[in-house]
């Protein structure tokens, strides 16, 4: 069992920290809004702190799951100043590859281990303890952190050096964006063609068109329900990171640019907090 700290108790971080506690680890938590930390402490065994520095003191491993590059840099600087030498900082934020590389260098200068380790699986995966972790960093650091991350992750892969985890998460978001747009158009077409959508999905979901999104979202998409997980605002943040990285590495991402524009349309429709499957809403806007 390890002495851990978890920084950031949002829809992902709170259940992840909860799984660490249930697994028997010593857990200290910090959240910028103290009410979330208090709510977490009422449900789980662990200690709450009002500063990052106090929460991470003496920890073997510190986890973070915050909003963006700026938040992550602030949290890391506050944590690194109080962490003991040899401790590990694992970041689960979806952020840029650049910030991951920057913090890896700073961590090494302070004799700390560092992993950029964004996750996939959404809120449902976090609550079930079935997340997928894609990590960047040193193999020895990953090997030390892996058994602890197993409290909330079903799959963990070391992709490569620092920044590789964030780049892999970008690939994940690229693929999801394409699949959701295709599924949206397919469902829209089926409805306009007066097909029995349930029968169509029953047929094609057993073939090459099958996907997690189809299995789990077709029905709610067809019914215009978009309160299931990852919000459009968050997806646009992630696709922004993807497009910025593509500018640097020269990748041609025509579909990503298009789908990002479509998500902007959804935001303009009032769907900022709708889940990412709401792409279908813009196609059916004249009928809604």
């Amino acid at each position: 069992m390890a002495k851990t700290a978890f920084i950031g108790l949002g829809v992902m971080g709170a259940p992840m920290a909860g799984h660490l506690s249930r697994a028997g680890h010593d857990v200290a938590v910090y959240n910028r809004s103290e009410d979330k930390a208090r709510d977490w402490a009422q449900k789980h065994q662990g200690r709450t702190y009002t500063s990052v520095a106090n929460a991470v003191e003496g920890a073997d491993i510190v986890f973070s799951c915050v909003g963006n590059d700026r938040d992550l840099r602030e949290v890391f600087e506050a944590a690194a100043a109080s962490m003991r030498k040899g401790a590990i900082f694992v970041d689960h934020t979806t952020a840029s590859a650049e910030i991951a590389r920057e913090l890896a260098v700073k961590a090494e200068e302070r004799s700390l281990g560092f992993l950029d380790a964004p996750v996939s699986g959404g809120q449902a995966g976090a609550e079930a303890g079935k997340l997928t972790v894609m990590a960047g960093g040193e193999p020895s650091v990953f090997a030390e952190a892996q058994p602890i991350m197993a409290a909330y992750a079903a799959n963990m892969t070391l992709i490569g050096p620092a920044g590789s985890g964030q780049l892999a998460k970008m690939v994940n978001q690229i693929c999801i964006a394409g699949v959701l747009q295709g599924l949206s158009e397919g469902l829209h077409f089926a409805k306009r063609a007066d097909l029995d959508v349930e029968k169509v999905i029953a047929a094609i979901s057993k073939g090459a068109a099958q996907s997690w999104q189809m299995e789990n979202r077709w029905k709610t998409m067809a019914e215009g329900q978009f309160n299931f997980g990852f919000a459009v605002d968050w997806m646009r943040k992630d696709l922004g990171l993807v497009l910025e990285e593509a500018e640097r590495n020269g990748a041609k991402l025509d579909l990503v640019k298009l789908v990002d524009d479509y998500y902007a349309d959804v935001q303009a429709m009032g769907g900022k907090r709708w889940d990412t499957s709401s792409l279908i809403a813009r196609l059916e806007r004249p009928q809604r």
Side-chain angles (χ1 to χ4, degrees):
M1 297 299 102
K3 186 173 183 181
T4 70
F6 207 106
I7 313 301
L9 300 174
V11 296
M12 301 294 288
M16 293 164 76
H19 285 298
L20 288 171
S21 176
R22 280 189 290 274
H25 298 295
D26 181 337
V27 184
V29 299
Y30 167 83
N31 193 75
R32 188 161 47 189
S33 55
E34 294 180 21
D35 57 332
K36 288 187 178 180
R38 286 193 296 268
D39 289 345
W40 184 91
Q42 289 175 357
K43 300 173 184 175
H44 307 285
Q45 297 242 344
R47 304 176 313 284
T48 64
Y49 291 88
T50 56
S51 74
V52 171
N54 289 337
V56 305
E57 191 171 358
D60 303 311
I61 185 164
V62 175
F63 299 96
S64 64
C65 191
V66 294
N68 53 39
D69 283 20
R70 184 186 66 253
D71 297 334
L72 173 56
R73 185 179 286 109
E74 290 177 0
V75 163
F76 175 83
E77 291 294 348
S82 295
M83 290 172 66
R84 65 170 181 79
K85 288 186 177 181
I88 296 172
F89 189 100
V90 176
D91 177 50
H92 290 307
T93 309
T94 296
S96 70
E98 285 191 311
I99 188 70
R101 297 184 190 108
E102 172 192 322
L103 297 186
V105 171
K106 290 182 177 180
E108 185 175 11
E109 291 171 349
R110 302 180 191 195
S111 300
L112 301 173
F114 179 85
L115 294 175
D116 57 289
V119 299
S120 180
Q123 183 177 350
E127 291 173 351
K130 302 289 186 183
L131 290 170
T132 291
V133 176
M134 49 216 97
E138 293 297 322
S140 59
V141 176
F142 179 75
E144 190 171 344
Q146 189 174 9
I148 304 169
M149 293 190 293
Y152 50 77
N155 299 288
M156 295 165 278
T157 304
L158 180 64
I159 305 296
S164 299
Q166 296 296 349
L167 294 173
K169 180 61 182 288
M170 292 178 197
V171 174
N172 185 78
Q173 303 305 71
I174 291 168
C175 295
I176 288 174
V179 167
L180 279 171
Q181 180 59 22
L183 180 57
S184 295
E185 293 187 14
L187 290 170
H188 178 63
F189 178 91
K191 292 166 78 173
R192 297 287 284 185
D194 292 325
L195 296 175
D196 184 317
V197 176
E198 186 169 359
K199 289 182 178 179
V200 171
I201 295 297
I204 69 174
S205 65
K206 302 302 185 287
Q210 190 276 339
S211 69
W212 186 96
Q213 300 292 343
M214 180 180 289
E215 292 284 349
N216 291 274
R217 292 288 177 264
W218 79 265
K219 188 171 180 61
T220 53
M221 290 171 73
E223 294 174 349
Q225 299 175 19
F226 309 121
N227 299 312
F228 301 92
F230 200 65
V232 167
D233 278 354
W234 302 339
M235 185 60 151
R236 288 212 72 204
K237 183 209 87 170
D238 290 1
L239 294 183
L241 293 170
V242 169
L243 292 170
E244 288 174 8
E245 188 65 34
E247 285 289 323
R248 285 188 283 271
N249 68 22
K252 297 176 66 175
L253 301 179
D254 296 337
L255 181 60
V256 171
K257 292 176 183 176
L258 193 63
V259 174
D260 185 52
D261 287 342
Y262 291 166
Y263 276 125
D265 290 343
V266 174
Q267 287 177 318
M269 292 169 60
K272 294 182 178 182
R273 304 300 295 179
W274 293 350
D275 71 62
T276 49
S277 71
S278 58
L279 281 171
I280 193 173
R282 61 175 297 279
L283 299 175
E284 302 193 333
R285 184 166 30 184
Q287 289 81 39
R288 287 172 65 85

